[in-house]
Every structure is written in structure tokens, then in C-alpha cells.
Amino acid sequence: MAGTASAGARRVLAPLALAQFICSFAGSNMNVMINDISEDLDTTVQGVQVAITIFLLVMAALMIPGGKLTDRWGRKRCLLAGLVVYGVGAVLSAAAPGLGVLILGNSILEGVGTALLIPPVYILTTLLFTDTASRARAFGAIMAMGGIGAAAGPLIGGLITSAISWRAAFVFQALVIVAIVVLSRRLVDPLPPDPSRPFDTVGAVLSAAGLVLLVTGILAVDNNGWLALGLLLAGAVVVVGFFVWVRGRERAGREALLSTALFRNRTSNLGLVTQNTQWLMLMGVSFTVAAYLQVVRGYDAIQTGVIFTAATLGILASSLAAEKLARRRPQRTLIMAGFVVTIAGIALLLALVAWTPGAWAFAPGLLLIGLGLGVMLTPSVNVVQSCFLESQQGEISGLSRSISNLGSSLGTAIAGTILVSGLTKGAYAAAMAALAVIGLGGLAAAALLPRVGPPAADGADRATPL
């Protein structure tokens, strides 16, 4: 099935793209419910931020084990299991009497469900679409839906919250899950599962614990500096311990949770850095702007959501053009251009908001941010996935999604911590400036990508330009 996707591949693309949409939607739609949830559940803005960050963190922490389980259980089975767990979490969140139950339903169960269902989305796409153009088209559709979910989450969530209540937004998620399950009935797993394949439980625990400690440390910065330092150091130690454990298993000839060979591909490593930075900027901007609009300017959920329409349109326009852009421009060029436009959008946003008090001052900057992110989301994924053979797609897909979701967690944690520490105009500007500086790091990583295609896993050269 080289070069073009089969009719069956096109049929499965709809549920796969919709699955990415709802998971991205879940990560951002709560941003416009900050006031409503905090008042209804008698909690604080920081409490809602913690719930959002835990959801993103659970996804990041469990994405690598989730990717590995696809080899053992099969991709369709993991997808359906994740959908069921996610749906239960959405229903529980809709009925939550307090913040604790909301965290259990939204942050834990929806996070676990996402970690199970997202790796199959990317593995199936990579296996079914083999050449650069068709894979760009498929990933373009999926990343467009993901970007739209993240960017339109505030608008959709705001409309539902204003018209009904914030709880109805979780009912909406449950209904979308049901639709995905129905659409997935014709999905056929292209590779048979291997139940005998070993699973590295210790490695899974170490990788998850390390990520949790690191992000929790960032969240603790505005409350207790010494506690934050302790958590960050502990997280670093656990992450080092994870890699020591993995190397030990590999030397003993046993399969580890994550092969260290994945990190020997320079092109893939740089691509992962760009993915992490993109989602960090997207979720950081989303949380920071939404919190500022509601808490500082006093906008309601629907007003806040409408303002984000500009970013949604930008992501939609550039993501849907992914296939055409992939044919006309090297992927390296697209990623670099995306970072430049996104950083320019943040600068414009800061400048216009400082000079103009009206809500429309946000639109030009958010539009540029959406356009920039949409341009580079697809090529970054394509660069990483294309570096590895089919036998390694489970591992790299899990790693890729984990790195991206870690970026989402860090974006909310870093920008949110700066903003929540003092919800003032100065804190807002500082949070956005921090995101722009981080974006410069992503641009530097993109500039280091090779101008020619990544080498195949067997050492053969690829002709695909970057």
C-alpha cells in the first residue's frame, strides 16, 4: 500500500481525527470555565489550574506505557479501551459534587483514557499512509482537528457553559466519545497483537513518577520555593534512574519500556523538541489569555471563547493546507516559519493589548499564533514518525505523544504559575513573554534540523526533504 491510502484507510481517518479533537478539546475547554467551576465547586482559580494540569500530566506520564501496550493488546483494542475509560470520566466529571471528584473524572480517568487511545491514532496513521504527501494529508487532518480542539475548546466550552452549564460541556464530550466508538466499528488493525510481548512495569512506574515530580515541582514554585526545588531534584533523580533501568534491561537482553535507540536519531530528537515547544506555547497561551480575560477583565465564558475564535481560524486554515505545503516547502522550513509567526503573534498580542483596552486587540495576535502553530504541528509529527520503521512505531508514537503532552502540561504549569502568582497586567505580560522566549528555543531546534530527509532506521537514506 505504498504511495496512496486505501479506501479503508480513509474511512478510519474520520474517527482517528475526531479522537484527537476531543482529547485536545478536553485540555483547553476548562479554561473558560474557571470562574463558573470555582464558584460552583467552592474552589479557587488555582484549584482549577491544578485540575487542568493534572489532566495534561496524566496524559504525558502514561503515553509511553500506552504506546507500548498497543503492541501487546492491539491498536484497535487500546483505542476502544481508552474511549470507554474517557467516556466514564466525562460522565463522572459532569456529575462532580466537588473538586476532588472533578479531578478523578476529568484529570485522572480522562487522562488515562487519552493515554490509551492517542498512540493508536498515530500508529495507524503512520502504517496506513506511507509517502510524504499522503501522510502529510492524514496528519494534517488529525493535527487540524487537534489544533481546532485546543483552540476552539474555549469557544465551544464557553457557548455550552453560557447556554446550559459547565457540566454540559462534559456531557458533550461523552456524546462525542459515543460517536467515535460507532465510527470505529469498521476499523481494522493492520498488525496483529502480540500478547506474549513483555511489558516493563518498573520502567512505566519510573517514567510516570519522574514526569509527575517535575511538573508538580513547577506548580509548587509560587507556593513554596524549597518544596518546588525538592520536587524538581527528586524528579530529575527518578528520570535518571529510569534511563539507568532501561539501559540495564537492554544489556541483559530484555525488552525495556522505551528503547534507548530512539534517542540516537538526531533528527527525531530535534523534532521532539519542536513538538514539545509547540504544545507548550499553545496550551500556555490558551490558559494565560483565558485566565486574564476572566479574572482580570471580568469577561464571561462565551465572551472569552469568542475572542479565541481568531486562533481557531488560524490553526484551521494552516493545518488544512498541510498537504499542499508539504509538497511545496521542505518540512524544516515550515517548522521554522511556524515558530517565527507564532512568536511574532505573541509580540503583537502583548503590544496591542497594552495600547488598546478593547477585546478586539487580542484578535490579530491570536490569529498569527494560530497560523504559526497550524503550519508546524503536522511537519513536526511527520518528521519524527518518519524516522523509524513499522516495528518501532508503537514506541516512537508513545514517546512522541508523551513529549507533546508534557509540553501541554508545562505550558499550563509555567504560564499558569506566573499568572496565578499575581493576576495583574504585569504578570500576564511576564507569562506571555516567557512563552515567547521558550518559542525561541523551539526555533533554534528547528534550525538544526537537517536539510535532507532523516535516515531510515536501517541506515538507508530517505529522499524526503526536510
Side-chain angles (χ1 to χ4, degrees), residues 255-323:
E255 185 172 351
L257 178 72
L258 196 66
S259 172
T260 56
L262 296 178
F263 297 98
R264 298 184 191 130
N265 189 305
R266 181 174 178 272
T267 299
S268 173
N269 290 341
L270 291 169
L272 289 172
V273 172
T274 63
Q275 284 186 33
N276 179 276
T277 308
Q278 291 160 16
W279 284 98
L280 188 155
M281 296 174 75
L282 175 57
M283 298 307 296
V285 167
S286 179
F287 179 83
T288 304
V289 175
Y292 176 78
L293 289 173
Q294 293 173 90
V295 178
V296 177
R297 294 208 172 180
Y299 293 174
D300 61 23
I302 191 168
Q303 290 172 321
T304 302
V306 169
I307 291 173
F308 274 95
T309 304
T312 305
L313 293 175
I315 289 179
L316 177 61
S318 52
S319 294
L320 292 180
E323 180 190 2

Side-chain angles (χ1 to χ4, degrees), residues 53 57 60-61 205-221 225 227-243 276 402-403 406-407 409-414 417:
T53 304
L57 180 56
V205 172
L206 288 174
S207 66
L211 292 176
V212 168
L213 287 169
L214 288 174
V215 177
T216 305
I218 295 173
L219 287 172
V221 167
L227 174 61
L229 179 61
L231 289 170
L232 290 171
L233 290 175
V237 169
V238 174
V239 169
V240 171
F242 166 72
F243 282 102
N276 179 276
S402 179
I403 293 295
L406 177 60
S409 301
L410 291 174
T412 304
I414 294 172
T417 296

Side-chain angles (χ1 to χ4, degrees), residues 21-37 48 52 55-56 86 93 102 106 110 148-161 165-173 283 286-287 290 294 301-302 304-305 308:
F21 165 82
I22 197 61
C23 292
S24 298
F25 171 87
S28 68
N29 84 112
M30 281 180 64
N31 290 337
V32 297
M33 307 175 192
I34 293 174
N35 285 341
D36 296 85
I37 293 177
V48 180
I52 296 171
F55 166 72
L56 298 169
Y86 188 108
S93 298
L102 180 66
N106 173 251
E110 288 193 17
I148 291 169
L155 175 60
I156 299 173
L159 290 171
I160 296 174
T161 299
S165 77
W166 65 268
R167 298 178 186 275
F170 289 102
V171 176
F172 167 76
Q173 292 182 44
M283 298 307 296
S286 179
F287 179 83
Q294 293 173 90
I302 191 168
T304 302
F308 274 95

